[in-house]
Structures are given as structure tokens and as C-alpha cells.
Amino acid sequence: MYMKILGIESSCDETAAALLEVISPKRKLHAKNCKVLAGESVNFKIPSIKVLINVVLSQTEIHKKYGGVVPEAAARAHLENINLVIEKAIGSNFKPDLIAVTKGPGLITALQVGVQAAKTLSYVWRVPLIGVNHLEGHLWSFLLNKESGFKNIKYLPAVALIVSGGHTELILVNGIGKYKLIGRTLDDAAGEVFDKVAKMLGLGYPGGHVIAMRAEKGNSAKINFPRPMINSSDFNFSFSGLKTSVKYYLMDTKPAGKLGKLFINDVSASFQQSVVDVLVGKTIKAAEKYKVGSIILGGGVSANEKLIQSLTIKAQNSGINCLAPEKWLAGDNASMIALAGYFNKQKSSRIVYRKLVADANLILTKN
Ligand code: KG4
Ligand code: ZN
């Protein structure tokens, strides 16, 4: 079966739309390009997936002067841009076969913009519509590949580490829709703490990628920041104490005047090392406990090269495969929403646009 799916994403500060092409294999005509996701019914195969167009309009310029996302400003910018990104994604294609939109979690007024646009299009075009959990989009984003459209899938079950500006969660994945929460942050999310430390260092907002760049030139062993909860018996995280440690370190040792380049590089590298050690340590421990074959990475922080490298090396030592999205699909985008929409469509028979409501606190996993 051949489908074009329009994805729409507006949960935070990126207005995004994408067109995804999915060719799913017929049961008997099994395509050589498709791999079975073990743990799923044998008939569920990973289709050929191609990102035709991925449009992301970032609101960074609007929010950076406030040092964080201002919900009201975000919603207004989404309203101004939503039609534009959809128009660009659709291009000369007449209409898609399915519309998938982020239903939650996120900022409620921001989510509502995408949801209302999707509902209107679904009504006018008479095209089925499905609401998607943003985190489920991040979870499967490693499957998207612009070049080949196909990936070799290692087997489920897997442990997924979703690390973004709003979430840090460890999830046991037994199949599509079969998710169990095994750990989460008790306070700040990993991306949030990257952003806050970047702000302390005067590196602007959002700061994750800037810290990562500075860290490349710094000495990660220079400052021994704490590794919060690294030895706790559960799989939860806590990053606010680390943030406070960086704050006190800066208060105690900050040179007079403007911060020097070397100083910033060393703080960035030492701080990043601390976050990476905790994330990698806990994820590997979870993967070993649940005896999974793969670790899945997703969310904006999964663009962090140090995190990918450390996790891949440690995972390989334990005989575990590490799957991460391509960098351009690690942050918020609508291709991942289209893909999660496709997967969910396989599971539900009726998709009625009237029933779709944005939910700021939408939950992906059972506890
Ligand atoms: O998934 P995402 O785009 O949006 C949310 O759903 O929150 O994640 C954004 C977060 C921001 O906190 C940003 O600083 C962080 O991802 N981030 C990074 C890197 N690139 C983006 N954090 C660490 N290293 C990076 N290279
Ligand atoms: Zn996200």
C-alpha cells in the first residue's frame, strides 16, 4: 500500500509540517526492503519510509530575548506560520491520504493551533486524521532516513531514552503502542538543564548545541561536577542539583569581568560529561536489566554527539545495538509525527476528526 501522510507539529516553539511517503508491504508480497519488528505481530513490517518534504520554522528569534519559550508568543507565531508550513509541505501534491498532528504533550495554546488546522483540513479534504503523542514521534524518529528510506531494524524489545527540553524518560518498548515507563526525571529535563547552564554562561537560548560545540574544545575532566542519582537503584534522574553546582562553581571561581573562552569551554565540557555519564549509565543499566537488544535515542538532546558516542560504545560492549535519529530529525519536526501517525493508523480503524482534542499533559506510557 502506498500512502502520503501530512504531519503537523506545533507543541512548543517549532511550527512544522512534513510530507512522508510510506510504502507498506502486502502480507505475502513481502518486500525485501522490509524488516520484521520482533515482538510485534509477524505481519507488522517496517515499511519503506521516505521524507519527501520536512519544513521546520523555528521561533528561536522570538524567544531568545526572554531566555525561554513564552507560551503566548509561541501560540501567536504558530498561528501566523501554520498555513505557510503546510503549504510548503504539500507543494503541488493535491491532498494526502492521512493527516497526523501532535495532540500533546506540550503548550496547550500552541498545540491547539496545529490541531485546529489539521481538523479543518481533514474536514475540507475528507481525509482521515489522527492525533499523535509527541514523544512517540521522537521515539520512532530513528527510522526516518532521507537517503534510503529503509533501515535495518534490530529487534525489540528495546529501551528508549527520550531526552528533550521538556522530557527525560526511559521507556521499555515492546512494540508499537506497547510502552512502559521505567524511569524519568524528578525535576529538570536534560535539555532544560543544558539551556539553563548555557544561560549562566551567557551562551544564549536554546543552549544545548552551543554547549556541545564549546565542550568539544574544553577539558571534560577539569571540574568534577556531581553525577546525580548515578548509583540509585531506580532508573530516575535528577538534574536540578547539577544545575545548582554549576551556578555555585561560577559564583566561586568566575574570573572578574567577561567570562574567558577557555573557562566557558571547560565548564561546558565538564558539565556535559556529567549529564552524559548519568544518562548513559542509567540507560545501559536499564537495557541490561530488561535484557533488550537495542537502545533507542530520541529528542532534541539526542543530537548530542558525545551522548551518541558514549552510549554507542557502552552499548556495543554489552552487545546492544544503539539507534539514534539523524541529526536533522532529532529536534522537533513533523516527519516523526507523520510516521507515528502511520503506525497508529495501523492499530485503529476509526479516525474521526471531531473527537480530536489537544491535551497538554498527554501520557505515552503506563507506569
Ligand atoms: O525535542 P526538542 O527539539 O524540543 C522539545 O520537545 O523540548 O528538544 C529541544 C532541546 C533543547 O533543550 C536544546 O537545548 C536541546 O534539545 N538540544 C541539545 C542539543 N541540541 C539541542 N542538547 C544537547 N546537545 C545538543 N547538541
Ligand atoms: Zn520534542
Side-chain angles (χ1 to χ4, degrees), residues 134 138 164 299-300 331-332 336:
H134 180 82
H138 278 309
S164 69
D332 288 350
M336 67 181 195

Side-chain angles (χ1 to χ4, degrees), residues 9 11-14 105 134-135 138 162-167 189-195 205-213 272 298-305 307 327 330-333 336:
E9 154 65 37
S11 65
C12 190
D13 60 346
E14 256 98 33
H134 180 82
L135 298 181
H138 278 309
I162 307 297
V163 264
S164 69
H167 292 86
E192 188 181 354
V193 81
F194 264 94
D195 292 339
Y205 173 87
H209 72 286
V210 191
I211 295 236
M213 269 161 51
Q272 177 178 268
V301 183
S302 72
N304 189 285
E305 205 58 57
L307 175 63
K327 273 210 175 50
D332 288 350
N333 67 82
M336 67 181 195

